[in-house]
Amino acid sequence: MPALDEPLKKILGGNTAKVMAEHLDLHTVGDLLHHYPRRYAERGELTRLADLPLDEHVTVVAQVAKAAMKTFNHGKGVRLEVVVTDGSGSLTLVFFGRGAYAREKELLPGRRGMFAGKVSLFHHTRQLLHPDYELLDKESGADAAESFAGRLLPIYPACKQFQSWKLTKAVDTLLDLFEAERWQDIVDPLPPALRDGRSLAELADAFRKVHRPRSKADIEDARARLKWDEAFVLQVALARRRHADSQLPAVARKPVPGGLLDAFDAKLPFTLTDGQLKVSAEIFTDLAAEHPMHRLLQGEVGSGKTLVALRAMLGVVDAGGQAAMLAPTEVLAQQHHRSVTEMMGELAEGGMLGGSEQGTKVVLLTGSMGMAARRQALLDLVTGEAGIVIGTHALIEDKVQFHDLGLVVVDEQHRFGVEQRDALRSKGKQPPHLLVMTATPIPRTVAMTVFGDLETSVLDQLPAGRSPIATHVVPAKDKPHFLARTWERVREEVEGGHQAYVVCPRIGDDIADEGDGPKPAKSRKKSDGDEPSAEDLAEKRPPLAVLDIAAQLGAGPLRGLRVEVLHGRMQPEAKDDVMRRFAAGEVDVLVATTVIEVGVNVPNSTVMVIMDADRFGVSQLHQLRGRVGRGSAPGLCLLVSEMPEASPARARLAAVAATLDGFELSRIDLEQRREGDVLGQAQSGVRSSLRMLTVIEDEEVIAAAREEAAAVVAADPELAHLPELRTALDALLDREREQYLDKG
């Protein structure tokens, strides 16, 4: 019997295995058995063709309604148009040239088959151009039809080079081998007590039922079991990390009464929110322990995460240690340094003329600093003169040495690799405490799955004095007068003494420019004679650029106002100068890329105009919107788009405009991006281990698996009595991926 780690080429042959490896990333028997059908088609009950996504490779089961041969190019060319239907919608299959005649004889009205190809749009009609197909009711192949009759047809995630029905045949080959030999030899990762206690199917049975279901009940049984595999193995990996971290020694950091923290609290011009007090208490309890804190601090835009983190850093300095804050960009590091020193005042000038006796030095360390300033910062760190350092990845370099690093605060964790974070932590004499901040609110189960080795604190209460933000979609193409009114509103706010941001996806200083923000959407290929829709045209136009828009606004609707630009390719000194002058009120309108997405805090800014807003993700729009309404005046966010009202992009913008709840928006964002983007290649560079589990829908499974995993690891940290689970852990979560899990 083949083992799960056996190469597919031994069973399916070299050529087939090569295609599957190159195009589907399937290499072993286990890979293929875990490559589950994405849906099932029933004979006579077909999927909704009207709901097919554009520009994706799909497989559909449908029935031919009509077929017609047509000529074009004055009779020189022919094409066969075959309309297939499922009763609720239709799809047109198009074949050109000589092949059209052969297919005309096969694709007759009434015939049913599986059709695979990429969905495109032609004259507002969804079509598959030259699709591959397999007829299910060939007169000469009654056996083929019979093999499909009476059971559900698995439709697999496939590609042009290897269609769904080829995957079905490959899986069938494996299943037949297992049936002929012993299924029992398959390693089952779930402890028998857990499996029996939750009435879950055995793994062999689950594989049979998911790939060859006799009924919908079979599919449900298989999914229930396979979801548990994924959730449990993942949570065991995370529980083992939590357990290992809890065994490390750390220096307890208890704030000193009457010290720096108390002095800072006494000079705050406002009272902390209940949420800030509660989260601070959780953090200080962790800091007082003799094993490292590992805590995720997440919360709404503007909920005061930086203040909470600063109080933790001050407490560590009181206890004789140093604190380092790691920021993803120089703009954000400089902004954090500026806001921290402003909040601390004379307390940030320890050892300096005019500084407080209780104070400490707060230094900035970035890659572009001048040699003299850099040398002084390094000296202040190694002597302990500087209690707090704020910097970029420059903090990780070998030359950087600390006197006694006690706390690492990582801002925007998803932008840092685990290796970078661990490199900074390794600079402590003992492992320092760790506080991870994220400005993107994460649904509970996502946090539990992605940041599962971190304890989580949530700030969901906005500080007093934060103003409401009104958000509106501006349909620039349909209603150009709305765009004109947008610039009038900006001018009105400036005349009222306030400031504004205008955000663009691109910088615009050269042809190859990709900006600091989202990449332009890939435009769909146009077939001969295709008339592009409004959505096509909006997507194909290059994204609007900072330099172009700034010039147009300065010479046009915002003439006379002080308009400046900010983007990632400016020199650090120039960027800092622009931000400093904007914060000081010397700039009226800042036209920028997404470098202002997080951390930038200018309370006098009341308007945020986002050009080509449809080019940004939901969470990113929420982040950008959070830059306004930070003072006493109400905020206004205008989402400018040329996309048609009925498009998915406009629906996304409408969702952002409809709520200020970042947690709700993050759920919408996740549902659109899918879990693969959270745990898989888009984030980690390795395959996602989630095939069946969906972190939003399967909240109960994830929560239960976390409890079971914690109990298993507490009783047997090395899994010495559960070799099957250990084997599954090694197979599904190799060392690289297990280290990655807490990165998000």
Side-chain angles (χ1 to χ4, degrees), residues 597 608 610 612-626 637 639 652-653 656 665:
E597 179 184 349
M608 166 71 67
I610 305 177
D612 278 345
D614 47 88
R615 309 263 180 157
F616 299 89
V618 169
S619 292
Q620 196 169 32
L621 291 171
H622 184 57
Q623 287 299 321
L624 289 166
R625 170 170 61 184
C637 180
L639 307 174
R652 239 182 15 250
L653 298 185
V656 175
L665 288 173

Side-chain angles (χ1 to χ4, degrees), residues 442-649:
I442 306 169
R444 174 174 164 271
T445 45
V446 182
M448 194 185 290
T449 306
V450 183
F451 294 101
D453 69 336
L454 303 175
E455 299 301 323
T456 303
S457 293
V458 177
L459 278 172
D460 52 9
Q461 183 182 4
L462 293 183
R466 282 301 301 255
S467 301
I469 305 171
T471 308
H472 302 285
V473 179
V474 178
K477 196 172 185 70
D478 301 344
K479 299 178 180 177
H481 60 286
F482 277 34
L483 184 58
R485 176 63 186 140
T486 295
W487 305 126
E488 288 173 11
R489 282 292 290 116
V490 170
R491 187 176 280 279
E492 287 166 9
E493 289 295 314
V494 171
E495 288 170 354
H498 299 296
Q499 293 159 278
Y501 298 100
V502 178
V503 175
C504 304
R506 197 164 60 97
I507 298 170
D509 54 359
D510 60 56
I511 294 171
D513 168 38
E514 289 189 337
D516 304 317
K519 300 294 179 280
K522 289 184 179 176
S523 54
R524 292 186 284 275
K525 288 183 180 176
K526 189 160 70 108
S527 306
D528 292 338
D530 199 352
E531 292 180 2
S533 65
E535 193 171 347
D536 286 324
L537 293 172
E539 276 192 4
K540 288 178 180 178
R541 172 181 57 70
L544 296 173
V546 165
L547 299 179
D548 299 338
I549 294 296
Q552 291 168 19
L553 294 176
L558 302 185
R559 188 187 296 109
L561 301 187
R562 297 169 296 179
V563 178
E564 297 256 1
V565 301
L566 180 71
H567 57 76
R569 277 216 282 274
M570 292 167 62
Q571 289 300 313
E573 301 81 17
K575 283 189 282 192
D576 200 37
D577 179 60
V578 170
M579 277 310 307
R580 183 189 55 73
R581 289 188 292 111
F582 187 65
E586 297 168 14
V587 174
D588 297 321
V589 180
L590 188 62
V591 185
T593 55
T594 54
V595 291
I596 56 105
E597 179 184 349
V598 291
V600 175
N601 182 30
V602 181
N604 194 46
S605 302
T606 54
V607 190
M608 166 71 67
V609 181
I610 305 177
M611 308 301 292
D612 278 345
D614 47 88
R615 309 263 180 157
F616 299 89
V618 169
S619 292
Q620 196 169 32
L621 291 171
H622 184 57
Q623 287 299 321
L624 289 166
R625 170 170 61 184
R627 298 308 105 206
V628 297
R630 302 177 81 86
S632 56
L636 175 65
C637 180
L638 300 171
L639 307 174
V640 180
S641 173
E642 292 188 3
M643 299 298 271
E645 189 171 0
S647 65

Side-chain angles (χ1 to χ4, degrees), residues 18 48 146 276 384 424 476 646 726:
K18 184 180 179 184
R48 288 179 55 81
E146 190 61 34
Q276 287 171 325
L424 184 55
R726 185 63 190 258

